């Protein structure tokens, strides 16, 4: 059993399970653009709300770390009756996948890392400093109003103004509290496994958008340079959440990768 909220979608007899881990927002709802495509392709899919967010309420300790989040995934896999998964993570969720691949490699059949990173960088640090300053000085409403600026391209925000406004309202209504948000941001800012990338052997799809204003695409290139079995999918645009803004193209890449790594090798 687990106190964390999780959902299982798709056929119970699927050969493999895909687990989706979202970014800083922590919500299973982030994956709505992928869920239908994965289930239609025959995958069993697990989504969850991360500890201290959404339907997994908790008070996070000040020393909350990505390693704790990786242990939460093991707890969810156990509760879902799954020993091994194809792990798909966006940003912070990608860090969780990297940590899981180091701490419990037998749990990870493959990794999909979307606009993720292996060590801190000064540009993202500046962005988080600004977001934390907004949170401290003006509160949660100002923090969530600024969130789309970091997630989506400006043109997409303008063309989807109603959707963006609804997302902001939803984020404000379900804001996890300043202390939890600060603990989660501190965890991702402290994450650094750059020197250990070579120990990760799971086949990995690295997906990034080159116009991401929060995480430089070069962080994804750094992952590609340090990992062993890598497939690259760099898009020219789409922003930090390009799995949302360019969902059709991203889904094709994701499904192609999963089909390849799920196919048993033919003996020589």
């Amino acid at each position: 059993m687990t106190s964390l909220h999780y959902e299982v979608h798709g056929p119970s007899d699927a050969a493999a399970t895909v687990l989706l881990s979202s970014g800083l927002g922590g919500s299973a709802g982030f994956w709505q653009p992928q869920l239908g495509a994965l289930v239609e392709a025959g995958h069993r899919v697990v989504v969850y709300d991360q500890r201290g967010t959404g339907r997994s309420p908790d008070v996070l300790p000040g020393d909350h770390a990505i390693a704790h989040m990786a242990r939460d995934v093991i707890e969810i896999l156990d509760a879902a009756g799954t020993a091994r998964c194809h792990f798909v993570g966006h940003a912070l969720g990608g860090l969780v996948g990297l940590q899981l691949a180091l701490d419990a490699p037998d749990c990870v059949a493959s990794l999909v890392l979307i606009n993720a990173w292996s060590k801190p960088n000064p540009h993202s640090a500046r962005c988080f400093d600004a977001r934390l300053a907004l949170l401290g000085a003006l509160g949660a409403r100002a923090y969530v109003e600024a969130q789309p600026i970091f997630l989506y391209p400006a043109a997409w925000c303008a063309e989807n103004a109603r959707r963006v406004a609804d997302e902001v309202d939803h984020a404000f209504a379900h804001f996890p509290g300043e202390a939890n948000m600060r603990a989660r941001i501190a965890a991702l800012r402290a994450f650094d496994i750059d020197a250990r990338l070579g120990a990760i052997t799971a086949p990995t799809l690295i997906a990034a958008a080159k116009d991401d204003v929060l995480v430089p695409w070069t962080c994804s290139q750094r992952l590609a340079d340090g990992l062993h079995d890598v497939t690259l999918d760099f898009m020219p645009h789409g922003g930090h959440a390009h799995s949302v803004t360019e969902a059709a193209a991203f889904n094709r890449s994701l499904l192609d990768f999963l089909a390849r790594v799920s196919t048993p090798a033919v003996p020589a």
Side-chain angles (χ1 to χ4, degrees):
M1 294 294 291
T2 177
S3 61
L4 298 169
H5 175 85
Y6 73 96
E7 304 164 10
V8 181
H9 301 266
S12 59
D13 60 347
T17 295
V18 179
L19 184 137
L20 306 176
S21 184
S22 64
L24 185 57
S27 171
F30 176 80
W31 298 104
Q32 199 60 40
Q34 281 69 56
L35 196 55
L38 286 165
V39 169
E40 185 177 346
H43 296 288
R44 178 176 182 260
V45 184
V46 176
V47 292
Y48 71 107
D49 287 354
Q50 293 170 7
R51 187 177 302 278
T53 73
R55 295 159 290 182
S56 299
D58 204 347
V59 177
L60 301 179
D63 63 350
H64 193 54
I66 299 297
H68 298 133
M69 302 182 202
R71 288 201 289 271
D72 283 342
V73 171
I74 295 173
E75 182 179 311
I76 289 167
L77 290 174
D78 287 344
T82 302
R84 188 170 169 84
C85 70
H86 297 284
F87 186 102
V88 181
H90 174 257
L92 177 147
L95 312 190
V96 176
L98 287 163
Q99 189 71 56
L100 184 67
L102 289 169
D103 295 347
D106 290 344
C107 290
V108 180
S110 70
L111 285 170
V112 178
L113 308 174
I114 308 163
N115 292 317
W117 60 92
S118 58
K119 66 176 183 176
N121 76 84
H123 173 76
S124 296
R126 182 175 295 109
C127 292
F128 283 114
D129 284 343
R131 296 175 75 176
L132 288 170
L134 275 175
L135 180 59
L138 298 175
R141 186 76 209 190
Y143 177 91
V144 298
E145 288 285 359
Q147 187 166 284
I149 298 170
F150 297 99
L151 282 177
Y152 307 127
W156 190 90
C157 282
E159 292 166 3
N160 295 274
R162 182 68 264 167
R163 174 175 174 173
V164 171
D166 289 344
E167 285 186 6
V168 167
D169 288 343
H170 185 270
F172 179 63
H174 297 87
F175 191 72
E178 182 173 347
N180 274 9
M181 185 58 72
R182 287 185 178 276
R184 287 172 59 73
I185 291 175
L188 67 81
R189 295 185 73 167
F191 182 78
D192 187 346
I193 51 90
D194 194 68
R196 302 175 65 195
L197 285 175
I200 296 173
T201 59
T204 303
L205 171 64
I206 295 176
K210 289 195 171 182
D211 64 347
D212 185 344
V213 300
L214 178 60
V215 180
W217 68 269
T218 48
C219 294
S220 289
Q221 185 63 60
R222 176 83 181 187
L223 287 170
D225 293 342
L227 293 169
H228 290 288
D229 184 356
V230 171
T231 300
L232 285 176
D233 180 29
F234 285 171
M235 293 188 183
H237 53 78
H240 186 59
H242 77 274
S243 57
V244 175
T245 63
E246 297 291 339
F250 173 79
N251 288 352
R252 285 194 296 273
S253 178
L254 172 63
L255 293 174
D256 286 349
F257 173 76
L258 291 174
R260 179 168 61 82
V261 297
S262 299
T263 301
V266 178

